[in-house]
Amino acid sequence: MSSADKSNSYRDILKGTSFLGGVQVFLVLVNLVRGKFVALLLGPEGMGISNLFATSSNTIQRFASLGLNLAIVREVAESKDDAGALSLIHAVCSRIITVTALAGCLFCVLCAGWLSELSFGSDEYSWQFMLLGAAVFFMVAGNGKMSVLQGLHRVKVLSVSTLVGALAALCISVPIYYVWGDKGIVPALVIFSAITYATYSLFLRRELRVERVRFVWGDHKPLVRRLVAMGLVLMAGDLLGSLCTYALSVFIRTAGGLDAVGFYQAANSITAQYLGVVFAAMSLDYFPRLTAAASDNAAVTDIVNRQSVLVALATAPLAILLVIFAPLVIRILLSAEFEVIIPMLRIFAVGVLLKAYSFPMGYITFAKGDKRLFFVLEGVFCNALMLSLGCAGYWFRGLDGLGYAMVAEHFISIIVYYIVNRAKYGYRFSRRVLADYILGGIMVCGAYGCMLLADTCAAYTGAGIIATVSAAYSITSIRRLIRE
């Protein structure tokens, strides 16, 4: 086996994601605790308000950042062994990020009334959108610091700093919710973003020891243009995603009220955090390996198929457990008011499995450097599909319709990704990938079918048997693959 093959073996893939996965699990627990307090202290309407502020701030933050985060990661990664070049890049990136962060803050202040009308249908929340400008500033500036750490490949430092920021924010934001209720949502966002920024800054100062370089526009114009040009291409797709998510939240609020937005956000948050461990660890470890082999189509196919097998084996049992224990998850993480989302959460579990199946293929175009195709697929097609199916699903079937829309969205994405990547790069599923995808899908759908029949002991017994078989198969298969 060549060195390249060894570095992309099943054993190496699992080793590379083990630490990241552990950190992500702890981070998920912190976020779930925070979500529990939000549900108890604010209720469904408060969660709906929180969702609208969060989605609007994320949209503004992503627009203000100009997509520079991934561009910074790439520039820093390419120059991390050259102290002089790294000093220059750090100085330029710091100046650009500061300017864009201020621009985002200023936009919130000047357009607060318009943002309040658009989000809530009145100007009642104008002052909170003004205050939200501070959160946007710290978000943009903090993400800039984080991007430098990513470019330096300080994954452990990045993970630890993220945890420190999350824990500190949890301890401060919960008392704010308790004292001020939904009036404390934006102040809590400001504090969370400020703490995160401070944490990234402290860790970056410790990790990055370079000479200070004075920013001179005339001297540094080529680097600025390269960063901005690359960032704008990446930003366009990301911004469309935020806008579509925001538009869907506004549509749900208009058609069903703030409670409906809160219910949707609660189900989304649980599924995202429940299986986000797999996606987060994979994105940090898998993408660099895929990028390194991007020029070799055969190597790309092998890496994607290996990752796909492990994702399928890891995700199927987790999705089945979410189908079975959805009521318990709601009671533990939220409150009795949210039991209405149990059916939607179970459908979401099926959708997340399909999302995991499409995830490895979604990285191929970007790793290949085909930014235009990446934008068309991720920025335009997938987001338009999500928004159109989500609106149609809620209009015809309510909350359950949002779940069915998610399933349809990711099923269609798998087909489109496969067709495009096969035609463009010669990618093909291996027999093992097909077998594990089909088997995992059958088992998850089988467990969901059991819970559809009736909330009885027989239904739970049938689903439990499926869960046991799925877990046993996954564990046995992973052990066999490691020995290969």
Side-chain angles (χ1 to χ4, degrees), residues 26-359:
F26 190 73
L27 185 60
V28 165
L29 292 176
V30 172
N31 289 332
L32 289 177
V33 170
R34 178 179 175 276
K36 176 68 173 182
F37 279 108
V38 171
L40 290 174
L41 298 175
L42 303 183
E45 182 174 343
M47 288 197 74
I49 296 172
S50 177
N51 170 256
L52 287 170
F53 276 123
T55 53
S56 58
S57 64
N58 285 335
T59 301
I60 297 169
Q61 171 255 312
R62 291 181 180 186
F63 181 77
S65 68
L66 300 179
L68 288 169
N69 295 328
L70 286 178
I72 291 172
V73 172
R74 182 174 179 178
E75 288 289 335
V76 172
E78 290 179 348
S79 306
K80 64 180 180 180
D81 296 325
D82 185 339
L86 192 59
S87 300
L88 174 62
I89 292 170
H90 180 249
V92 172
C93 291
S94 297
R95 177 58 63 89
I96 297 175
I97 287 296
T98 300
V99 172
T100 59
L102 288 172
C105 177
L106 186 62
F107 176 81
C108 283
V109 174
L110 296 179
C111 301
W114 176 74
L115 291 169
S116 179
E117 287 283 353
L118 181 64
S119 300
F120 297 97
S122 72
D123 60 359
E124 179 183 354
Y125 295 89
S126 296
W127 72 268
Q128 289 171 295
F129 273 103
M130 291 183 184
L131 183 59
L132 194 67
V136 170
F137 174 85
F138 287 120
M139 285 179 188
V140 175
N143 285 338
K145 304 287 186 183
M146 179 188 69
S147 297
V148 177
L149 284 171
Q150 283 184 295
L152 293 171
H153 203 60
R154 302 292 197 271
V155 177
K156 291 186 178 181
V157 173
L158 181 62
S159 300
V160 172
S161 61
T162 302
L163 284 178
V164 171
L167 284 170
L170 173 67
C171 296
I172 294 175
S173 62
V174 170
I176 292 177
Y177 292 142
Y178 179 77
V179 175
W180 291 345
D182 58 18
K183 300 297 183 183
I185 290 173
V186 174
L189 281 173
V190 173
I191 291 174
F192 170 77
S193 58
I195 291 174
T196 303
Y197 168 77
T199 305
Y200 285 142
S201 298
L202 290 172
F203 277 89
L204 180 59
R205 187 176 301 173
R206 190 184 70 178
E207 292 295 320
L208 183 64
R209 300 185 182 277
V210 295
E211 295 182 3
R212 298 181 67 89
V213 175
R214 190 169 67 90
F215 179 85
V216 180
W217 168 253
D219 296 339
H220 300 147
K221 186 185 296 185
L223 177 57
V224 172
R225 285 180 173 175
R226 186 166 73 247
L227 282 168
V228 173
M230 186 187 307
L232 287 175
V233 174
L234 299 171
M235 180 199 71
D238 200 23
L239 179 61
L240 278 175
S242 295
L243 287 172
C244 288
T245 301
Y246 178 63
L248 181 57
S249 295
V250 172
F251 176 84
I252 295 171
R253 191 268 301 170
T254 303
L258 286 173
D259 282 5
V261 179
F263 290 138
Y264 173 61
Q265 170 62 16
N268 239 340
S269 177
I270 289 174
T271 52
Q273 295 183 60
Y274 181 68
L275 288 172
V277 174
V278 177
F279 299 139
M282 182 170 65
S283 63
L284 288 170
D285 178 69
Y286 165 63
F287 180 63
R289 289 187 290 104
L290 186 64
T291 303
S295 60
D296 186 341
N297 285 343
V300 166
T301 296
D302 184 61
I303 293 170
V304 174
N305 281 334
R306 286 175 184 268
Q307 192 74 44
S308 299
V309 168
L310 290 176
V311 167
L313 293 174
T315 308
L318 294 176
I320 294 172
L321 290 176
L322 183 58
V323 169
I324 296 173
F325 294 108
L328 182 62
V329 169
I330 297 298
R331 295 187 189 103
I332 293 176
L333 301 180
L334 299 171
S335 64
E337 292 178 278
F338 291 86
E339 290 184 357
V340 67
I341 70 172
I342 291 175
M344 177 172 62
L345 187 59
R346 283 173 167 158
I347 304 170
F348 271 20
V350 180
V352 168
L353 177 73
L354 297 178
K355 179 180 179 179
Y357 286 178
S358 69
F359 206 67

